[in-house]
Amino acid sequence: MQFLSGLEGSSFEEGPLYLRLQADIRQAVRDGRLKPLEALPPEREIAANLGVSRVTVRKALEGLVAEGLIQQRHGSGTFVAPQPHRIEEGLSHLTSFTEDMRARGNSTTSHWLERAVGAVTPEEAMHLTLSPGSRVARLARMRRSEALPIVVERSRVPVSIMPDPEIVEGSLYETLHNLGHRPVRALQRISAVNLGEADAALLEVPAAAAALSTLRVAFDAQGRPVVMTRSLYRSDAYDFMAELVSAEAE
């Protein structure tokens, strides 16, 4: 195979064998000898062609699986993982994920994780300026763009604004607009986190993979906080971009 012929003769004597093999497989992905979703040869074939042990090959592949560069499917083999196209979101305009992807011409789908009503937590009460004992609509879903999992969103809306979370099908902001509470302003905090096992599985990345975490509280035209959303974005597929202007230029 082209992949193996490109690796034959590699200088595996430089450094641990499995690290050298990992580096050469990464390079094969970068230069296109191994393409997204392409199957790698079996461990036995790689070991025989390169003159290394199967233990070395297995250790190299395990490290690349942990990085998310390749995927192993039980009963099917080892494949190059899909390489996501990075999405950049500007921070100067307030839009929902659905609206942002629609403006780019990207299709979106959602997998609902939760649509329920419950008692407000202290954190939710603080951000939404609600009294203890108030109730909120809870919405959680994993969002895809062009079939690639991008973000896990967990939103909270006062039931005085949205009594039934089941009415949300696409854009939450469009639903709030129809209810007379369109978000027009928001405060947003962005931080770096490592994903837990459950969220990593939803986003189809290894556990503890890096992600972008956002906390956004959006307000309507009357200045009332109408929705609080915590989101986890795949860091290999999503970027936030802001334009900065010198104070002297203002």
Side-chain angles (χ1 to χ4, degrees):
M1 299 179 71
Q2 184 182 12
F3 158 64
L4 287 177
S5 64
L7 293 187
E8 289 170 357
S10 295
S11 54
F12 289 112
E13 70 276 9
E14 299 177 9
L17 294 180
Y18 79 95
L19 291 179
R20 289 293 307 139
L21 179 54
Q22 283 181 353
D24 286 332
I25 292 175
R26 287 192 201 97
Q27 187 58 45
V29 173
R30 292 192 190 103
D31 62 25
R33 281 177 289 131
L34 278 173
K35 304 184 185 306
L37 302 180
E38 182 177 346
L40 273 68
E43 290 180 4
R44 183 185 297 104
E45 185 177 344
I46 296 176
N49 277 270
L50 301 181
V52 298
S53 72
R54 290 186 63 181
V55 173
T56 295
V57 175
R58 185 174 301 115
K59 190 171 183 179
L61 297 182
E62 287 174 350
L64 295 173
V65 168
E67 291 177 16
L69 186 70
I70 64 174
Q71 300 174 338
Q72 290 181 323
R73 305 173 190 169
H74 183 67
S76 299
T78 303
F79 299 82
V80 179
Q83 303 302 301
H85 172 70
R86 298 190 73 88
I87 297 170
E88 291 186 347
E89 178 186 341
L91 294 175
S92 58
H93 298 287
L94 178 59
T95 59
S96 69
F97 179 82
T98 303
E99 293 166 337
D100 187 34
M101 294 302 103
R102 184 186 299 151
R104 301 168 188 269
N106 291 3
S107 63
T108 62
T109 56
S110 296
H111 170 62
W112 284 104
L113 308 172
E114 180 184 24
R115 275 190 285 187
V117 173
V120 70
T121 66
E123 182 193 31
E124 294 163 355
M126 178 182 67
H127 288 298
L128 295 171
T129 63
L130 297 174
S131 302
S134 299
R135 296 176 69 77
V136 293
R138 293 196 167 93
L139 305 101
R141 52 184 165 173
M142 187 273 289
R143 316 294 304 275
R144 293 177 180 267
S145 174
E146 302 296 313
L148 181 73
I150 296 292
V151 58
V152 176
E153 294 178 341
R154 295 179 172 91
S155 299
R156 308 292 184 256
V157 181
V159 295
S160 58
I161 292 175
M162 189 173 67
D164 182 8
E166 295 287 342
I167 67 174
V168 181
E169 295 182 356
S171 169
L172 174 57
Y173 280 20
E174 289 181 358
T175 301
L176 291 171
H177 172 77
N178 294 334
L179 294 171
H181 293 278
R182 169 76 193 189
V184 298
R185 180 178 69 88
L187 299 176
Q188 180 163 286
R189 181 187 299 272
I190 304 172
S191 57
V193 298
N194 293 104
L195 294 169
E197 289 187 6
D199 288 323
L202 289 170
L203 293 173
E204 299 179 9
V205 296
L212 297 172
S213 173
T214 67
L215 170 61
R216 177 189 289 186
V217 179
F219 303 81
D220 64 13
Q222 287 70 48
R224 178 180 179 178
V226 294
V227 57
M228 164 190 165
T229 302
R230 285 192 177 276
S231 301
L232 292 169
Y233 292 85
R234 283 180 57 153
S235 62
D236 63 344
Y238 210 89
D239 285 328
F240 290 94
M241 181 177 62
E243 179 180 3
L244 306 178
V245 179
S246 168
E248 297 177 358
E250 294 180 345

